[in-house]
Amino acid sequence: MVIVTLQREKCIGCNYCVEMAPEQFQMSKKDGKSVLLRSTEKKGFFTLKSYDDSIFEDCEKAQKACPVKIISTKKL
């Protein structure tokens, strides 16, 4: 299982996550911040839990590219 977490409030809208993992991230047209697709929100943290291990590599690239370090990627 892959768990990806996004602290959306702190997003600066740089778009790196979308470039690295377009299947999991997109930019909001409303506020220009990143959206973690198919995620659930709890206290400002958006979490995606997926049994598709193939998303891990792209999400990890997005995590490393994020200049404000608001993306977390774990593989269980």
Side-chain angles (χ1 to χ4, degrees):
M1 176 182 270
V2 176
I3 299 174
V4 184
T5 305
L6 170 71
Q7 280 182 273
R8 192 171 187 279
E9 186 77 20
K10 296 180 180 180
C11 180
I12 60 170
C14 72
N15 200 48
Y16 288 148
C17 57
V18 177
E19 290 176 28
M20 301 294 164
E23 301 288 318
Q24 280 68 50
F25 295 94
Q26 71 179 30
M27 300 308 287
S28 169
K29 287 183 173 79
K30 287 183 180 179
D31 62 8
K33 293 186 178 192
S34 177
V35 175
L36 180 57
L37 303 173
R38 297 174 299 282
S39 64
T40 55
E41 189 265 340
K42 187 173 184 181
K43 296 184 179 178
F45 289 84
F46 290 80
T47 304
L48 166 66
K49 294 180 181 180
S50 175
Y51 289 104
D52 181 2
D53 285 354
S54 68
I55 71 167
F56 179 77
E57 194 174 311
D58 286 347
C59 289
E60 191 175 47
K61 286 180 188 173
Q63 174 184 333
K64 289 177 181 174
C66 181
V68 288
K69 306 296 180 209
I70 59 168
I71 300 170
S72 165
T73 307
K74 291 182 216 156
K75 195 174 199 179
L76 302 179

Short mmCIF file of all heavy atoms in Angstrom, two decimals, residues 1 3 12 31 34 40 47 51-53 57 64 68-69:
data_model
loop_
_atom_site.label_atom_id
_atom_site.label_comp_id
_atom_site.label_asym_id
_atom_site.label_seq_id
_atom_site.Cartn_x
_atom_site.Cartn_y
_atom_site.Cartn_z
N MET A 1 0.84 -1.19 0.00
CA MET A 1 0.00 0.00 0.00
C MET A 1 0.88 1.25 0.00
O MET A 1 1.90 1.30 0.67
CB MET A 1 -0.91 0.01 1.22
CG MET A 1 -1.74 1.29 1.31
SD MET A 1 -2.77 1.38 2.77
CE MET A 1 -4.23 0.63 2.13
N ILE A 3 0.86 5.38 0.72
CA ILE A 3 0.12 6.45 1.38
C ILE A 3 0.79 7.78 1.03
O ILE A 3 1.98 7.97 1.30
CB ILE A 3 0.09 6.26 2.91
CG1 ILE A 3 -0.60 4.94 3.25
CG2 ILE A 3 -0.63 7.44 3.58
CD1 ILE A 3 -0.56 4.58 4.71
N ILE A 12 2.38 26.50 -2.44
CA ILE A 12 2.70 27.78 -3.07
C ILE A 12 2.37 27.78 -4.57
O ILE A 12 2.61 28.75 -5.26
CB ILE A 12 4.18 28.17 -2.85
CG1 ILE A 12 5.12 27.12 -3.45
CG2 ILE A 12 4.45 28.41 -1.37
CD1 ILE A 12 6.58 27.54 -3.48
N ASP A 31 -7.91 28.37 -6.71
CA ASP A 31 -6.91 29.07 -5.89
C ASP A 31 -5.46 28.81 -6.31
O ASP A 31 -4.53 29.32 -5.68
CB ASP A 31 -7.09 28.73 -4.41
CG ASP A 31 -6.90 27.25 -4.09
OD1 ASP A 31 -6.48 26.48 -4.98
OD2 ASP A 31 -7.17 26.86 -2.94
N SER A 34 -2.21 22.96 -5.25
CA SER A 34 -2.23 21.55 -5.64
C SER A 34 -3.42 20.82 -5.02
O SER A 34 -3.84 21.10 -3.91
CB SER A 34 -0.93 20.90 -5.16
OG SER A 34 -0.93 19.53 -5.46
N THR A 40 -8.77 11.98 0.85
CA THR A 40 -9.71 12.38 1.89
C THR A 40 -9.02 13.42 2.77
O THR A 40 -7.81 13.34 2.99
CB THR A 40 -10.17 11.19 2.74
OG1 THR A 40 -9.02 10.54 3.28
CG2 THR A 40 -10.96 10.19 1.91
N THR A 47 -5.12 12.92 2.28
CA THR A 47 -4.44 11.63 2.24
C THR A 47 -5.04 10.72 1.17
O THR A 47 -6.26 10.58 1.08
CB THR A 47 -4.52 10.93 3.61
OG1 THR A 47 -3.99 11.82 4.60
CG2 THR A 47 -3.74 9.64 3.63
N TYR A 51 -3.59 0.84 -3.22
CA TYR A 51 -2.96 -0.48 -3.30
C TYR A 51 -2.13 -0.63 -4.57
O TYR A 51 -1.51 -1.65 -4.80
CB TYR A 51 -4.02 -1.58 -3.23
CG TYR A 51 -4.62 -1.70 -1.85
CD1 TYR A 51 -5.89 -1.20 -1.59
CD2 TYR A 51 -3.91 -2.27 -0.80
CE1 TYR A 51 -6.44 -1.29 -0.31
CE2 TYR A 51 -4.44 -2.35 0.47
CZ TYR A 51 -5.70 -1.87 0.71
OH TYR A 51 -6.24 -1.94 1.97
N ASP A 52 -2.13 0.42 -5.40
CA ASP A 52 -1.36 0.42 -6.64
C ASP A 52 0.06 0.92 -6.36
O ASP A 52 0.32 2.11 -6.32
CB ASP A 52 -2.06 1.32 -7.67
CG ASP A 52 -1.34 1.36 -9.00
OD1 ASP A 52 -0.32 0.66 -9.16
OD2 ASP A 52 -1.80 2.10 -9.89
N ASP A 53 0.99 0.00 -6.15
CA ASP A 53 2.37 0.36 -5.82
C ASP A 53 3.08 1.11 -6.94
O ASP A 53 4.11 1.74 -6.72
CB ASP A 53 3.19 -0.90 -5.46
CG ASP A 53 2.86 -1.42 -4.08
OD1 ASP A 53 2.09 -0.77 -3.35
OD2 ASP A 53 3.37 -2.51 -3.72
N GLU A 57 6.73 5.65 -7.12
CA GLU A 57 7.91 6.32 -7.68
C GLU A 57 7.61 7.76 -8.10
O GLU A 57 8.36 8.68 -7.76
CB GLU A 57 8.44 5.52 -8.87
CG GLU A 57 9.83 5.94 -9.29
CD GLU A 57 10.40 5.04 -10.38
OE1 GLU A 57 10.34 3.80 -10.22
OE2 GLU A 57 10.89 5.59 -11.37
N LYS A 64 10.09 14.94 -3.45
CA LYS A 64 11.45 15.48 -3.49
C LYS A 64 11.51 16.83 -4.22
O LYS A 64 12.33 17.69 -3.88
CB LYS A 64 12.40 14.49 -4.15
CG LYS A 64 12.66 13.27 -3.27
CD LYS A 64 13.53 12.25 -3.95
CE LYS A 64 13.74 11.05 -3.03
NZ LYS A 64 14.47 9.97 -3.67
N VAL A 68 8.43 23.44 -0.73
CA VAL A 68 7.96 23.73 0.63
C VAL A 68 7.75 22.46 1.47
O VAL A 68 7.27 22.53 2.59
CB VAL A 68 6.68 24.61 0.63
CG1 VAL A 68 7.02 26.04 0.22
CG2 VAL A 68 5.62 24.05 -0.28
N LYS A 69 8.12 21.32 0.91
CA LYS A 69 8.12 20.03 1.64
C LYS A 69 6.78 19.71 2.32
O LYS A 69 6.73 19.40 3.50
CB LYS A 69 9.25 20.01 2.68
CG LYS A 69 10.62 20.32 2.12
CD LYS A 69 11.06 19.27 1.14
CE LYS A 69 12.44 19.58 0.58
NZ LYS A 69 12.66 19.07 -0.74
#
